[in-house]
C-alpha cells in the first residue's frame, strides 16, 4: 500500500507556491491508477518525489508492503532484503538507506526512454539494476530471459540499445524496471513516441501485470482501458479521484482543469 | 562527414564488437593487455627509427582479417586521427632539416624521417585501439580495466563519458536540425548565433545527463559499481597473449627490416 500524506514539493525552497500542494491519496496493493492532468500539473514531479529523487518540503510517503498480497514476488530471487518493511519518507527521513528501500519497492519508467537506457548493449542495460543489488549474474540472466519473453522482445537481447525503435526502447526500459521486481510500477507518459500498434501492445502488457500501477498519461482511452481508478491533478492539487469512467466522462471537470 | 553519419558511426564499432570471431571470443582482459603492450612498444621507438617500426604492421594486418573487421569503417575512423598526427609531424619537417642520408639524388632529412615515423606510429596505435573497440564491447573493456585495479569509480566514469558523448551528439543533431529547418537559406550556423546555440546545447545536455543519472538512481545505483567477473583466460587465449607480447618485445630490440636488408644487400 502506498500512502501519500499532505505531500508538498518545491523545486526551490524560496518559491512562493509549491509544485505539489499537500497531495493526499492512498493506492492499495494491485490497484491500477491513472494519473492525468494538463502539462505542468505536476505528474512527473509527483513520480520523482515518490522514488526519492525530489525531497518533500512537507508531508510524506508511507509504503507498506504486505507480502501475501503479491504472491508473484515471493518465489523470485528478489534483490529486496526487507519484504515486510514499512518505509517512511519525509523531510527528515530522506537518508540513503530509506531511499534505497523505497527504490527497491517502486520501479519508475521515465518519460523519455533515452534517459533510462544507458548501457550500450540491451542485455547489459537490463542487468544494470540487479547488478547494483549484487545479484548473481546467472540468476539475472534467467530472469531476464523470462521477462524478455513475457514482453515479446527476446530478439532484442544482444542488440545495441541506441539502434532500437522508440517502441522497442520503451519495452527494453520496462524490462530494466521489471527485473528489479518492484511491487509498484510508475510509468511517466509511456505511450508518447509510440505508434498505435506499439501503444496497444504496451497497454496489453500493462493490463497483464499484477503490479500496483501508477500511470501518467494523456490518452484517456488507454487510461480507462488499463486503470479502474483515475487521479486528476490540477496545479499541484488533487482535483478529482475516483472511478476512471466517471472522471474521464466528466467534460466540465476536465475542461476546468485545462484538459 | 555530417552529424548524422557521425552518430551512426559511433554505434558502428559497438555493433561490430558484438560480432563473432576468434578474436571476439578472447577474454577482454587478454585483448586489453596485448593492445596496451603493443601500443607501448610502438610509442617507445625513438623518433628517427622507421625501419624498426615497419614490421609492427603485422598486428593490424593479421588481426583485421581474423576478426572480420570491414576495411571501410575502420579506415574512416582512422581519418579522424589523421589531422592530429599531421599537425605533429609536419612541424618536424621544417625544424629538423639536416640531411640524414641520400636516396637516389634526393636528400632525406631528419625531419622527413621523423614525419614518417610519427605518421606510422599514429597509424599503428590507432588501428590497435580500433581493433580492440571492434572486437570488444565497451562495457567489457571497462570491466577488464577494473580488474587491472583501476578504481571502479573511474571505470564507471569512462562508461558514463562514453554514454554522454552519444547524448551530446544526439542533442546536437536535434538542435542543428531545428536551426536549419528555420533558416533554410543559410549554410551552417551564423556566427552571431553560435554563442546562444552552444549555451542551449550545454544546458540541454546537462539536463539530459541529470535525468540519465536520476534514472540510474531509480534502479538502485549508489555511485559504486561492482563489476561482474569476466571469463577466465583459457590456454588458447594465453597462447595468443604470449605470441603477441613476444613479437612486440622481439621487434622492439631486433630490427627485422634492417636484418632483412643486410641479408639481401650483403
Ligand atoms: N527541474 C525543474 N525545476 C524547476 N521547476 C520545474 C522543474 N521541473 C518541472 N518544474 C515545474 O513544475 C511544474 C510541474 O511540472 P511537471 O511535474 O513536469 O508537470 P507534468 O509532468 O504534469 O507535465 C511545472 O510548472 C514546471 O514548470
Ligand atoms: Mg511530465
Amino acid at each position: 500500500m502506498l500512502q501519500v500524506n499532505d505531500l508538498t514539493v518545491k523545486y526551490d525552497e524560496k518559491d512562493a507556491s509549491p509544485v505539489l500542494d499537500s497531495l493526499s491519496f492512498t493506492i492499495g496493493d494491485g490497484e491500477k491508477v491513472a494519473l492525468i492532468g494538463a502539462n505542468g500539473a505536476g505528474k512527473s514531479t509527483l513520480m520523482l518525489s515518490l522514488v526519492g529523487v525530489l525531497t518533500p518540503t512537507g508531508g510524506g510517503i508511507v509504503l507498506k508492503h504486505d507480502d501475501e498480497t503479491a504472491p508473484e514476488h515471493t518465489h523470485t530471487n528478489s534483490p529486496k532484503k526487507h519484504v515486510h518493511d514499512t518505509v517512511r519518507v519525509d523531510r527528515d527521513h530522506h537518508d540513503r538507506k530509506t531511499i534505497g528501500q523505497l527504490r527497491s519497492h517502486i520501479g519508475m519508467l521515465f518519460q523519455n526512454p533515452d534517459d533510462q537506457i544507458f548501457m550500450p548493449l540491451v542485455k547489459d542495460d537490463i542487468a544494470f539494476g540487479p547488478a547494483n543489488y549484487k545479484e548473481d549474474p546467472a540468476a539475472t540472466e534467467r530472469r531476464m530471459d523470462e521477462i524478455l519473453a513475457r514482453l515479446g522482445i527476446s530478439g532484442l537481447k544482444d542488440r545495441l540499445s541506441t539502434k532500437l525503435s522508440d517502441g522497442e526502447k520503451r519495452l527494453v526500459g520496462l524490462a530494466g524496471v521489471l527485473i528489479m521486481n518492484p511491487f509498484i510500477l510508475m510509468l511517466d507518459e509511456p505511450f508518447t513516441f509510440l505508434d498505435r500498434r506499439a501503444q496497444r501492445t504496451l497497454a496489453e502488457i500493462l493490463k497483464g501485470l499484477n503490479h500496483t500501477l501508477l500511470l501518467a498519461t494523456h490518452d484517456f482511452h488507454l487510461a480507462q482501458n488499463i486503470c479502474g481508478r483515475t487521479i486528476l491533478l490540477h496545479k499541484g492539487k488533487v482535483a478529482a479521484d475516483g472511478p476512471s469512467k466517471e472522471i474521464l466522462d466528466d467534460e466540465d471537470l476536465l475542461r476546468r482543469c485545462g484538459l | 562527414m555530417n552529424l548524422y553519419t557521425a552518430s551512426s558511426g559511433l554505434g558502428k564499432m559497438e555493433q561490430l564488437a558484438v560480432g563473432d570471431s576468434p578474436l571476439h571470443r578472447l577474454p577482454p582482459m587478454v585483448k586489453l593487455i596485448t593492445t596496451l603492450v603493443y601500443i607501448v612498444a610502438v610509442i617507445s621507438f625513438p623518433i628517427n627509427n622507421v625501419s624498426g617500426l615497419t614490421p609492427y604492421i603485422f598486428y593490424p594486418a593479421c588481426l583485421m582479417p581474423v576478426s572480420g573487421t570491414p576495411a571501410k569503417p575502420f579506415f574512416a575512423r582512422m581519418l579522424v586521427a589523421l589531422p592530429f598526427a599531421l599537425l605533429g609531424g609536419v612541424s618536424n619537417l621544417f625544424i629538423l632539416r639536416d640531411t640524414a642520408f641520400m636516396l637516389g639524388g634526393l636528400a632525406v632529412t631528419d625531419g622527413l624521417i621523423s614525419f614518417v615515423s610519427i605518421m606510422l606510429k599514429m597509424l599503428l596505435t590507432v588501428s590497435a585501439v580500433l581493433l580492440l573497440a571492434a572486437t570488444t564491447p565497451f562495457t567489457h573493456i571497462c570491466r577488464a580495466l577494473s580488474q587491472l585495479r583501476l578504481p571502479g569509480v573511474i571505470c564507471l566514469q569512462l562508461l558514463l563519458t562514453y554514454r554522454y558523448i552519444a547524448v551530446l551528439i544526439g542533442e546536437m543533431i536535434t538542435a542543428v536540425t531545428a536551426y536549419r529547418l528555420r533558416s533554410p537559406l543559410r549554410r551552417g550556423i551564423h556566427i552571431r548565433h553560435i554563442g546562444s546555440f552552444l549555451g542551449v546545447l550545454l544546458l540541454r545536455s546537462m539536463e539530459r545527463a541529470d535525468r540519465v543519472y536520476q534514472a540510474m538512481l531509480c534502479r538502485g545505483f549508489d555511485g559504486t559499481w561492482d563489476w561482474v567477473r569476466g571469463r577466465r583466460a583459457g590456454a588458447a587465449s594465453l597462447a595468443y597473449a604470449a605470441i603477441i607480447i613476444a613479437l612486440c618485445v622481439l621487434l622492439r630490440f631486433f630490427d627485422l627490416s634492417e636484418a632483412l636488408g643486410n641479408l639481401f644487400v650483403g
Side-chain angles (χ1 to χ4, degrees):
Chain A
M1 187 185 64
L2 175 72
Q3 234 177 317
V4 176
N5 303 319
D6 292 322
L7 181 69
T8 304
V9 174
K10 290 178 181 177
Y11 276 98
D12 189 341
E13 287 272 345
K14 293 184 286 287
D15 284 351
S17 59
V19 175
L20 298 181
D21 194 357
S22 6
L23 288 189
S24 296
F25 58 85
T26 301
I27 299 179
D29 285 347
E31 211 177 351
K32 291 189 166 34
V33 180
L35 184 64
I36 63 168
N39 289 323
K43 303 182 292 294
S44 302
T45 307
L46 173 59
M47 290 191 165
L48 289 176
S49 315
L50 292 181
V51 288
V53 170
L54 298 172
T55 315
T57 43
I61 304 155
V62 180
L63 186 70
K64 286 201 191 102
H65 183 25
D66 199 3
D67 206 39
E68 279 74 38
T69 54
E72 193 204 354
H73 302 292
T74 52
H75 66 273
T76 46
N77 182 7
S78 160
K80 292 187 275 296
K81 290 173 201 77
H82 317 273
V83 192
H84 290 278
D85 261 356
T86 297
V87 186
R88 269 169 221 283
V89 175
D90 53 43
R91 200 187 173 117
D92 305 318
H93 299 87
H94 210 268
D95 53 290
R96 225 175 147 104
K97 187 157 160 273
T98 313
I99 298 304
Q101 282 180 13
L102 187 72
R103 284 178 184 151
S104 71
H105 291 301
I106 304 184
M108 168 158 181
L109 194 66
F110 280 60
Q111 181 163 357
N112 188 340
D114 284 330
D115 295 342
Q116 187 114 30
I117 304 172
F118 87 99
M119 296 285 257
L121 286 178
V122 167
K123 61 177 173 197
D124 288 341
D125 191 82
I126 297 176
F128 174 75
N132 283 329
Y133 286 102
K134 314 216 183 332
E135 193 188 55
D136 169 43
T140 304
E141 178 109 9
R142 235 179 300 119
R143 295 198 301 122
M144 188 187 310
D145 290 341
E146 236 172 75
I147 288 170
L148 290 178
R150 178 142 53 118
L151 301 184
I153 51 169
S154 301
L156 300 183
K157 193 174 163 188
D158 291 305
R159 292 268 298 275
L160 264 185
S161 58
T162 45
K163 300 284 157 100
L164 300 173
S165 77
D166 291 326
E168 290 168 339
K169 275 186 195 167
R170 186 68 79 195
L171 292 179
V172 168
L174 184 59
V177 174
L178 286 179
I179 203 166
M180 306 288 290
N181 270 327
F183 85 97
I184 299 180
L185 205 54
M186 296 198 307
L187 307 140
D188 195 354
E189 303 191 22
F191 300 113
T192 45
F193 306 129
L194 299 191
D195 62 28
R196 288 299 299 179
R197 210 180 70 162
Q199 286 184 350
R200 272 199 302 276
T201 310
L202 180 60
E204 284 312 311
I205 288 170
L206 295 181
K207 269 171 85 170
L209 297 174
N210 37 14
H211 295 70
T212 306
L213 196 71
L214 185 61
L215 171 73
T217 182
H218 291 295
D219 191 318
F220 296 169
H221 185 72
L222 289 171
Q224 200 168 335
N225 188 357
I226 300 166
C227 306
R229 175 180 163 197
T230 293
I231 294 177
L232 169 58
L233 283 190
H234 182 50
K235 295 188 173 156
K237 289 184 194 291
V238 176
D241 180 355
S244 296
K245 190 160 167 38
E246 272 175 35
I247 293 179
L248 296 172
D249 284 349
D250 191 340
E251 289 287 335
D252 270 351
L253 173 70
L254 294 178
R255 196 162 306 121
R256 262 185 281 125
C257 296
L259 287 168
Chain B
M1 191 161 71
N2 70 25
L3 279 174
Y4 282 90
T5 52
S7 85
S8 74
L10 205 69
K12 183 73 188 176
M13 282 291 148
E14 200 61 44
Q15 189 78 69
L16 290 174
V18 291
D20 190 34
S21 80
L23 208 56
H24 284 84
R25 286 192 290 272
L26 286 177
M29 178 66 98
V30 168
K31 284 181 275 188
L32 182 67
I33 292 179
T34 48
T35 305
L36 289 177
V37 169
Y38 178 81
I39 290 175
V40 168
V42 166
I43 290 180
S44 70
F45 265 91
I47 200 158
N48 57 5
N49 190 339
V50 172
S51 66
L53 212 47
T54 318
Y56 277 87
I57 292 177
F58 87 90
Y59 188 86
C62 295
L63 297 191
M64 257 179 79
V66 172
S67 62
T69 307
K72 207 176 147 210
F74 188 81
F75 288 113
R77 291 297 102 65
M78 207 155 223
L79 283 180
V80 179
L82 193 61
F84 300 100
L86 273 177
L87 219 67
V90 165
S91 55
N92 280 349
L93 277 182
F94 298 101
I95 298 166
L96 308 171
R97 300 173 83 151
D98 293 342
T99 305
F101 58 87
M102 302 294 289
L103 191 72
L106 268 151
V108 176
T109 63
D110 287 336
L112 185 63
I113 293 175
S114 66
F115 173 74
V116 173
S117 152
I118 287 176
M119 296 303 288
L120 201 57
K121 279 184 182 178
M122 183 285 286
L123 211 76
L124 295 175
T125 50
V126 172
S127 71
V129 171
L130 285 177
L131 274 168
L132 178 68
T135 57
T136 320
F138 196 72
T139 35
H140 297 189
I141 299 176
C142 291
R143 181 193 299 160
L145 281 172
S146 86
Q147 284 170 355
L148 286 178
R149 296 283 170 273
L150 193 67
V153 182
I154 296 181
C155 299
L156 193 73
Q157 280 306 320
L158 274 177
L159 190 67
L160 291 182
T161 310
Y162 184 76
R163 152 79 211 193
Y164 189 74
I165 292 171
V167 168
L168 195 67
I169 290 181
E171 294 292 348
M172 194 144 84
I173 289 174
T174 319
V176 170
T177 310
Y179 182 90
R180 282 204 185 138
L181 288 176
R182 288 191 294 162
S183 55
L185 297 180
R186 195 176 291 135
R187 281 177 61 95
I189 296 160
H190 195 281
I191 189 97
R192 202 150 35 96
H193 298 146
I194 284 191
S196 52
F197 195 82
L198 289 180
V200 167
L201 199 64
L202 185 71
L203 274 180
R204 255 203 237 175
S205 43
M206 269 163 56
E207 264 166 32
R208 196 58 177 294
D210 186 47
R211 283 197 304 272
V212 171
Y213 180 64
Q214 287 174 0
M216 289 170 70
L217 291 180
C218 290
R219 290 205 281 162
F221 177 66
D222 61 357
T224 61
W225 202 7
D226 215 19
W227 295 81
V228 194
R229 293 233 155 265
R231 274 165 298 166
R232 293 198 67 82
S237 48
L238 289 179
Y240 167 84
I243 291 173
I244 298 285
I245 294 174
L247 272 173
C248 286
V249 174
L250 193 73
L251 291 174
R252 179 64 190 82
F253 298 108
F254 174 73
D255 193 331
L256 188 67
S257 336
E258 205 174 273
L260 283 177
N262 290 342
L263 204 66
F264 289 120
V265 180

